[in-house]
Amino acid sequence: MTETVIRTDDGTFAMINVFEVEPDKQKELAEVMSEGADRFIRHRPGCLSVNILTSLDGKRLVYYAQWRSKADIKATMADPDVQHYRDKAGELAKPDPHAYTVHSVHHPED
């Protein structure tokens, strides 16, 4: 089993896309993003994980994907199959995508 692990200084990149969505379209958006991730994104070179989070108020969806490199992100975004899902998502909600690195991670003491 693989898990999403967030660490500093491991050289990975996160692609985080926060969608503003109408509550009645959040589920459909989540299904579109999940389908695209399952069919194409997770099979792309450099993909480490894809996580889709839905807000409790129904107004946002966060797409959090971890990648080995910025070049892997760029190549994936150029794939026509991926662009198809990006366009479908854009019809349902307003995206705000950005690439990130991890600055710090904090855990409670045991």
Side-chain angles (χ1 to χ4, degrees):
M1 177 171 98
T2 60
E3 296 179 353
T4 299
V5 177
I6 300 174
R7 293 188 175 112
T8 59
D9 301 323
D10 66 357
T12 63
F13 294 87
M15 183 66 185
I16 302 174
N17 197 344
V18 179
F19 291 85
E20 291 185 30
V21 62
E22 293 298 322
D24 63 328
K25 294 188 182 209
Q26 186 194 57
K27 183 178 180 188
E28 182 180 0
L29 176 62
E31 290 170 357
V32 165
M33 299 305 289
S34 292
E35 181 179 316
D38 193 51
R39 293 185 68 201
F40 299 107
I41 303 288
R42 71 186 184 105
H43 303 289
R44 295 287 308 184
C47 180
L48 300 172
S49 70
V50 177
N51 302 273
I52 298 167
L53 297 86
T54 53
S55 67
L56 297 179
D57 64 5
K59 296 179 181 180
R60 285 173 197 76
L61 178 142
V62 175
Y63 181 91
Y64 178 85
Q66 290 180 314
W67 295 90
R68 292 198 194 283
S69 73
K70 288 188 284 186
D72 292 328
I73 296 170
K74 187 174 181 177
T76 297
M77 294 302 107
D79 181 314
D81 291 323
V82 173
Q83 289 176 356
H84 169 76
Y85 283 93
R86 181 200 62 205
D87 294 346
K88 284 178 73 171
E91 292 171 6
L92 295 168
K94 180 183 174 191
D96 186 22
H98 298 278
Y100 295 84
T101 58
V102 178
H103 176 75
S104 63
V105 176
H106 307 270
H107 297 282
E109 293 181 27
D110 290 330

